[in-house]
Amino acid sequence: MPQQKDIVKIAIQMPGAYPQLIQLDQKKPLSAVIKEVCDGWNLPGPENYALQYADGVQTYITESNRLDIKNGCILRLTKAPGRCAEDLFRGIQSSDSGVRCDSLKELASVSTDVTFAQEFISRDGHLLLVKIVEDSHESNVIMTHTLTGFMELMDHGIVSWENLSTVFIKKIASFVNAKPTDASIQQVSLDILESMVLSSHSLFLQVKQEVTMERLIAHLQVTNQQIQTKAMALLMALLQTAGDSDRQDMFAFLNKKNLRQYIYKNIIHSSGSVQDEMAHYLYVLQSVTLNHLEPRMRTPLDCYSQEQRDILHGLRQAAFETESDNSLSNERRRSLCAKEFKKLGFSNNSNPGQDLVRTPPGLLALDTMFYFASRYPDAYSRFVLENSSREDKHECPFARSSIQLTLILCEILRIGEPPSETGSDYHPIFFSQDRLMEELFCVCIQLLNKTWKEMRATQEDFDKVMQVVREQITRTLSSKPTSLELFKNKVNVLNYSEILKLRQTERLHQEETLAPPVLELKERLKPELLELIRQQRLNRLCQGTMFRKISSRRRQDKLWYCRLSPNHKMLHYGDVEEDTDSPAIETLQEKIPIADIKGLLTGKDCPHMKENKGKQNKEVLDLAFSITYDVEEYSLNFIAPSRTDFCLWTDGLSVLLGREMSSESMRSELEILLSMEIKLRLLDLENVPIPDSAPVVPKPPSNYNFCYDFSQTEQ
C-alpha cells in the first residue's frame, strides 16, 4: 500500500478523448503509468507515447523530473520524444516543401525540451540543419524555422559550438551582413553569432572578421526593436570577449562616431521587455568601457619611474610659482619641494610618491589630479592656493582628498567589477560624456572643497567630509542626470545642510516603519540618554573654553576665558594671556550668578552682532551667542572658536536655564546613542557567557618602536 505522500492526483488529456483523472503513484515506473493510461483509451504500443505538461512550458515527463508533478496538474499524452524526433527527422528530408516547412516549424517549438533535443541530436539531426543552412536553397520562412530550431538545440549545451564549420559561420554572418533580407532570419542569426562569440576566443576572432562594427551599428539604427536588441547583445559579447587591443579599437570606433550617445538616445525610447533587456546592455557597455581604467587603478606608483616623478613635480610647479630650480642648492631645492608638497596636501611631503602606493586607486589618482591641473588650471590653482594660505587649521588637503575621491568614484562607478548578469543600473551621463571618470573628478573635487568649507572641517573631520561627498555624488547620480552640466548643477545645490535635512527625513521615515515595541523602547530610553548628554554639556562648561575678542578693526587681538563653577551656581570669566592653557577658576576676576541670567541669544540677535550689522560674515554669525543678565540691560557676548564649541555652550546654557537643548550636535549624539543602545538591547545573548569581572589589562610593551614617528613628515 503506497503512502499518501507518494500519490499525486492529476488529469491526463488527449485530443478527441475524455480526460482521465488518475492517482499517480510516484513509486511506480513511468512506463507502467503510461501503459495504464493507454489501456484506458485502448491505445496499442504504449512505448510510442509519453506524458507532457499541457500548460506553460510543455516539458516531457521523465523519471528525473516526475517528482515535480503537483496535485491538480494537467498532463497530456503525446508522442514519445524518440518517435517525435524520428518523424521530424524524416519530415525535414521530405521532397515536399510544405512538409519540410511544417516539420521545421514543429522542430523549432519542441527543441526547447532537453529530452527531445537529446533524441534528435543522437540522430545527427543538428548536422542536417547545418547542411540546410550551408546549401541555402530554402525559402526565407523555412530558413527562419531551421535557424530557430538549430539555436534551441544548441542552447542545451549537448553539442559544442567549436565543432561548427567555417562555411556555416560565414553563412550565418552573411545573413547579418545582408541589407535587404528577412528580419526574422537576421534576428536569430545575431543570436547564433552572440552564442558563438561567448563560447570561445577562436570563434570570437572568426565572427569579428566576418561581421564589421559598421554593420552592427547599422542594425542599431533600424526601427525593429528586436533587431536592435540582438545587435546590441552581439556588440556587448564582442566587447566582453575581446582582448585589450581589440577592445580599445572598438572603443575608439564608438567614440569617433559618437555612437554611445546615439545608442542611448535610441534605446531609451524602446518599450516593455525590450527596454529591460536594453537597459542591461547599456549597463554592460558602461561597465566594460570604464573597466579599461582598472589596470591604472591596480598599479601603484613606481618611485623610480622618471615619467611619474615628472608628473608629481608638474603638479607642484603648476600650483606654485617657484624660483628656478637650477639656481638653488640641492638641500635648498629639497626643502622647498617638501614645503610645497605639504601645501599641496601630501602626507609624506619628502617622498609624495608613497601616498600613491596604495591600490586602489594607485596611478589612477595621479591621472585624475594631473587631468584636473591641466584641463582646468585656474580652478586647480585656486583650490591649492586658497587652502595652502589658510592658517586656521581648516585647510583642505588637495592630494589626500583627490586620492580618496578617486577611490570613491571607482567604487560608485564599479570600476574593476565584472558586469553582473542581471545588472541594469547604468548612468545616462556616461553616454553623453567622454572621459567620464576624469570629468566627474574635476566637478567633484571642487564640490569637496565647497563642502569642506560648509562643514568648517579640520583634518580630524576628513573622513566625515568624505562620507558627505560620497552621499552627495550617489544621491545626484541616482536622479539619472543626462549630462555633466546637469550633474554639476544638481550636486552643487545638494549642499551640506540639504544632506542633513534629507538624513533627518529618512531617519523619521525609518522610525515610522519600526515595530511598535522598538518605538516604545526608544521612547523609554530617550530621557536617560538626554540626561547623559546634559551632564556632558555641564562638565564641558566646567572645564571652560578660550574665546577671542573681535575688535572694530577686525583683528583677533585679545583672549578671554569662561568656565562654569563646579556647583553650577556661577559663571567665571576674565582676560588671559596667549600662552595660558587652562586658568584656575580663582584667577578669573569676573563672575555672573546663574540665577541672574535672563536669556540666551544667538546669531544676528546678539548685541555684538547688531552693533556691527552688515559687517559680519556668515561664519562669524553662526558662531555668535550672548547671555543677558541682571535686568536684561547687560550682556556677555561670545564668538565660539568652532561650531562644536558653539553647540556645547548653547546646549549647556540652555540646561542651566531649564530649557531644552536644540543644537544639531545634540540631535546627532542622541541618535547615535539611541541606535547603539537599541542594538545592544536587541542582541541575542542566549547561551552567551557574560563574565562577572572585566578582563585583565595586558602589561605595557617593553618599547614603543612600532609607533610611527609623525615628526619625520613635518620636516
Side-chain angles (χ1 to χ4, degrees), residues 58 73 79 98 114 127 129 145 154 177 183 218 232 236 319 342 418 450 456 480 491 497 513 515 549 568 668 693 706:
Q58 297 172 359
C73 274
K79 283 192 288 187
V114 65
L127 297 179
L129 302 183
H145 294 322
M154 295 299 289
N177 290 330
M232 189 72 175
M236 292 306 101
K342 182 179 180 181
K450 174 174 169 282
R456 299 181 184 84
K480 303 285 185 184
V491 82
S497 60
T513 59
K549 293 181 179 179
H568 303 169
S668 174
S693 57
F706 55 84

Side-chain angles (χ1 to χ4, degrees), residues 583-602:
I585 200 166
E586 297 82 13
T587 62
L588 301 175
Q589 306 88 350
E590 306 291 337
K591 59 184 178 180
I592 300 173
I594 298 300
D596 289 350
I597 297 177
K598 303 300 181 185
L600 172 64
L601 305 173
T602 59

Side-chain angles (χ1 to χ4, degrees), residues 47-60:
E47 67 276 2
N48 293 321
Y49 293 93
L51 293 174
Q52 192 180 49
Y53 286 105
D55 301 321
V57 181
Q58 297 172 359
T59 309
Y60 278 105

Side-chain angles (χ1 to χ4, degrees), residues 359-579:
T359 58
L363 285 176
L364 189 57
L366 182 63
D367 294 342
T368 53
M369 284 191 283
F370 184 72
Y371 183 88
F372 179 51
S374 54
R375 182 82 170 80
Y376 304 99
D378 292 341
Y380 171 68
S381 298
R382 187 164 54 249
F383 184 115
V384 176
L385 296 176
E386 175 188 322
N387 286 287
S388 62
S389 61
R390 298 185 70 171
E391 298 180 355
D392 54 1
K393 299 182 181 178
H394 288 272
E395 63 276 6
C396 177
F398 171 74
R400 184 185 177 193
S401 300
S402 297
I403 293 166
Q404 190 62 25
L405 177 61
T406 304
L407 179 60
I408 287 173
L409 288 173
C410 287
E411 292 170 354
I412 291 173
L413 298 175
R414 293 193 285 270
I415 296 173
E417 296 180 22
S420 164
E421 290 184 5
T422 57
S424 61
D425 188 17
Y426 61 88
H427 300 299
I429 190 176
F430 165 79
F431 298 91
S432 66
Q433 184 63 54
D434 292 333
R435 304 198 70 169
L436 176 65
M437 176 68 183
E438 291 87 344
E439 289 292 340
L440 266 184
F441 172 85
C442 293
V443 173
C444 294
I445 192 66
Q446 295 175 79
L447 167 74
L448 190 152
N449 189 38
K450 174 174 169 282
T451 303
W452 186 282
K453 289 186 287 187
E454 289 171 354
M455 296 176 67
R456 299 181 184 84
T458 62
Q459 293 294 323
E460 289 76 15
D461 301 315
F462 183 83
D463 291 336
K464 184 180 177 182
V465 175
M466 298 312 299
Q467 287 173 4
V468 173
V469 171
R470 177 192 285 270
E471 193 171 339
Q472 289 172 311
I473 298 170
T474 52
R475 284 183 185 274
T476 305
L477 285 176
S478 67
S479 69
K480 303 285 185 184
T482 53
S483 68
L484 188 70
E485 191 61 32
L486 192 57
F487 171 84
K488 184 177 180 180
N489 293 338
K490 285 188 173 185
V491 82
N492 281 301
V493 169
L494 193 62
N495 54 33
Y496 179 54
S497 60
E498 286 298 316
I499 290 290
L500 291 178
K501 288 177 186 176
L502 287 169
R503 286 177 177 176
Q504 180 67 14
T505 303
E506 290 168 0
R507 193 178 297 122
L508 290 172
H509 177 71
Q510 189 177 12
E511 286 179 2
E512 290 172 2
T513 59
L514 288 174
V518 177
L519 286 173
E520 185 180 346
L521 175 60
K522 197 168 185 179
E523 289 304 314
R524 287 187 181 184
L525 291 172
K526 255 185 187 178
E528 179 184 344
L529 297 176
L530 278 171
E531 182 57 32
L532 185 66
I533 295 173
R534 288 190 194 98
Q535 289 303 318
Q536 186 270 340
R537 296 296 195 260
L538 294 176
N539 290 340
R540 185 64 184 78
L541 263 61
C542 289
Q543 292 174 17
T545 302
M546 186 86 72
F547 296 94
R548 287 187 179 272
K549 293 181 179 179
I550 296 184
S551 70
S552 58
R553 292 171 293 173
R554 299 184 183 181
R555 193 163 50 86
Q556 297 180 347
D557 51 1
K558 289 186 179 180
L559 297 173
W560 64 288
Y561 202 87
C562 187
R563 67 191 302 174
L564 180 66
S565 62
N567 62 5
H568 303 169
K569 299 290 184 182
M570 204 72 68
L571 208 57
H572 297 262
Y573 65 97
D575 294 343
V576 292
E577 297 299 324
E578 181 77 40
D579 56 353

Side-chain angles (χ1 to χ4, degrees), residues 546-708:
M546 186 86 72
F547 296 94
R548 287 187 179 272
K549 293 181 179 179
I550 296 184
S551 70
S552 58
R553 292 171 293 173
R554 299 184 183 181
R555 193 163 50 86
Q556 297 180 347
D557 51 1
K558 289 186 179 180
L559 297 173
W560 64 288
Y561 202 87
C562 187
R563 67 191 302 174
L564 180 66
S565 62
N567 62 5
H568 303 169
K569 299 290 184 182
M570 204 72 68
L571 208 57
H572 297 262
Y573 65 97
D575 294 343
V576 292
E577 297 299 324
E578 181 77 40
D579 56 353
T580 306
D581 187 15
S582 179
I585 200 166
E586 297 82 13
T587 62
L588 301 175
Q589 306 88 350
E590 306 291 337
K591 59 184 178 180
I592 300 173
I594 298 300
D596 289 350
I597 297 177
K598 303 300 181 185
L600 172 64
L601 305 173
T602 59
K604 60 184 178 181
D605 296 328
C606 298
H608 57 315
M609 293 295 105
K610 289 180 178 178
E611 292 169 4
N612 297 297
K613 190 173 182 181
K615 296 181 180 180
Q616 300 296 349
N617 60 35
K618 187 177 184 300
E619 184 173 351
V620 174
L621 277 172
D622 287 346
L623 298 177
F625 64 97
S626 302
I627 55 172
T628 57
Y629 58 96
D630 202 358
V631 289
E632 299 192 15
E633 293 181 3
Y634 301 101
S635 64
L636 185 61
N637 302 317
F638 301 77
I639 293 178
S642 68
R643 188 67 186 175
T644 302
D645 288 302
F646 174 86
C647 293
L648 289 170
W649 272 86
T650 52
D651 282 345
L653 290 169
S654 295
V655 172
L656 292 171
L657 295 173
R659 301 175 185 174
E660 293 293 328
M661 297 179 290
S662 59
S663 73
E664 66 267 21
S665 177
M666 180 278 297
R667 290 192 292 271
S668 174
E669 290 171 25
L670 177 62
E671 209 48 55
I672 292 170
L673 291 171
L674 275 171
S675 176
M676 291 174 60
E677 191 66 28
I678 286 174
K679 287 174 183 176
L680 286 171
R681 297 288 182 100
L682 296 179
L683 275 178
D684 185 6
L685 297 178
E686 187 177 353
N687 300 323
V688 178
I690 300 175
D692 296 326
S693 57
V696 179
V697 178
K699 292 181 179 180
S702 57
N703 63 66
Y704 294 90
N705 294 339
F706 55 84
C707 290
Y708 182 73

Side-chain angles (χ1 to χ4, degrees), residues 68 103 108 153 158 185 203 240 251 290 334 341 365 373 378 406 415 418 524 548 572 586 610 635 696:
D68 295 334
S103 297
L153 290 171
I158 301 169
I185 292 180
L203 285 175
Q240 287 181 271
F251 288 151
L290 288 174
R334 280 196 299 270
F341 277 125
D378 292 341
T406 304
I415 296 173
R524 287 187 181 184
R548 287 187 179 272
H572 297 262
E586 297 82 13
K610 289 180 178 178
S635 64
V696 179

Side-chain angles (χ1 to χ4, degrees), residues 145-207:
H145 294 322
T146 302
L147 293 172
T148 304
F150 175 80
M151 185 65 198
E152 294 293 350
L153 290 171
M154 295 299 289
D155 264 354
H156 297 294
I158 301 169
V159 181
S160 171
W161 289 93
E162 299 269 9
N163 298 332
L164 296 173
S165 67
T166 304
V167 176
F168 178 81
I169 296 170
K170 286 179 178 289
K171 199 68 190 177
I172 298 295
S174 72
F175 293 145
V176 171
N177 290 330
K179 292 181 182 178
T181 188
D182 187 86
S184 300
I185 292 180
Q186 285 193 329
Q187 267 180 240
V188 69
S189 297
L190 287 164
D191 246 346
I192 292 171
L193 291 179
E194 181 198 1
S195 296
M196 287 182 186
V197 167
L198 293 174
S199 65
S200 78
H201 188 66
S202 60
L203 285 175
F204 157 78
L205 294 174
Q206 290 186 63
V207 173

